[in-house]
Amino acid sequence: MLESWLRAANPFNRPRAMAEAQRAARTASFALILSAASSLASAGLMAMHPEWMATIMANQYARMGMSDEMQQVQQTMMATIMPWAMVGGMVVTVAICLVLAWVQWKFMTRAIPIILLILIAYSAVTGLVGLSTGQYHGMAPGFVTMSVLTWAIQLVCGVLYVAALRGALVLHRLKQEP
């Protein structure tokens, strides 16, 4: 049983039959659950270390060339908004991931893996822009470790999304055949 799921999760294996295609298309559900758990852990760590967000925002304010008064107003506003935004964002992200996991398991769509691969690519681009512009300058080693682990998890999820897309495409083609 495990061997068949590992075969389905391999993006280089083309599904040979309907059951394999369904199994491959459903691997995105596992990736979405893994992504939800990763988001929950990252948000928890960010909430435990508010200085990480303060450093990121200070770097942003410095790049924007804000005056000291404007920085103080912005920091006060963000200190008020950020805890609620993080909790709300975490809850919404986890809920969306779990709903999409259920939808992908039930309907084995092509759209969900495509959208998730696009979001991973977008996230990679914005992360690289942040690195190249000094957004993460002066961050604590714990933040770097969390970021590396998060990206490793997203890489695994990306591989599963590719496998799911291949499975969903084969499944769609098999359903169209007479």
Side-chain angles (χ1 to χ4, degrees), residues 111-129:
I112 291 174
I114 289 171
I115 291 168
L116 293 170
L117 286 168
I118 290 169
L119 287 174
I120 287 176
Y122 173 76
S123 182
V125 169
T126 58
L128 289 174
V129 167

Side-chain angles (χ1 to χ4, degrees), residues 34 38 145-159:
L34 181 62
S38 172
T145 303
M146 180 196 70
S147 296
V148 169
L149 287 174
T150 301
W151 272 106
I153 289 169
Q154 290 307 312
L155 181 64
V156 169
C157 289
V159 168

Side-chain angles (χ1 to χ4, degrees), residues 21-156:
Q22 288 174 332
R23 200 173 296 116
R26 287 180 170 158
T27 60
S29 296
F30 297 114
L32 280 159
I33 292 169
L34 181 62
S35 186
S38 172
S39 295
L40 195 61
S42 295
L45 283 171
M46 292 291 284
M48 289 172 40
H49 297 283
E51 69 274 8
W52 294 352
M53 188 56 70
T55 302
I56 291 172
M57 295 309 294
N59 290 341
Q60 181 69 24
Y61 301 148
R63 276 202 336 271
M64 293 171 69
M66 290 182 147
S67 68
D68 290 338
E69 285 179 20
M70 286 299 295
Q71 283 186 23
Q72 191 64 18
V73 168
Q74 199 68 12
Q75 286 173 344
T76 303
M77 185 176 73
M78 291 306 289
T80 304
I81 295 171
M82 194 52 66
W84 295 105
M86 283 185 61
V87 170
M90 175 187 67
V91 168
V92 168
T93 299
V94 169
I96 289 172
C97 284
L98 294 177
V99 166
L100 288 176
W102 177 81
V103 169
Q104 185 65 22
W105 186 268
K106 180 124 175 100
F107 300 107
M108 298 164 277
T109 70
R110 295 167 291 168
I112 291 174
I114 289 171
I115 291 168
L116 293 170
L117 286 168
I118 290 169
L119 287 174
I120 287 176
Y122 173 76
S123 182
V125 169
T126 58
L128 289 174
V129 167
L131 281 174
S132 67
T133 59
Q135 183 74 31
Y136 305 114
H137 179 70
M139 294 304 293
F143 179 83
V144 174
T145 303
M146 180 196 70
S147 296
V148 169
L149 287 174
T150 301
W151 272 106
I153 289 169
Q154 290 307 312
L155 181 64
V156 169

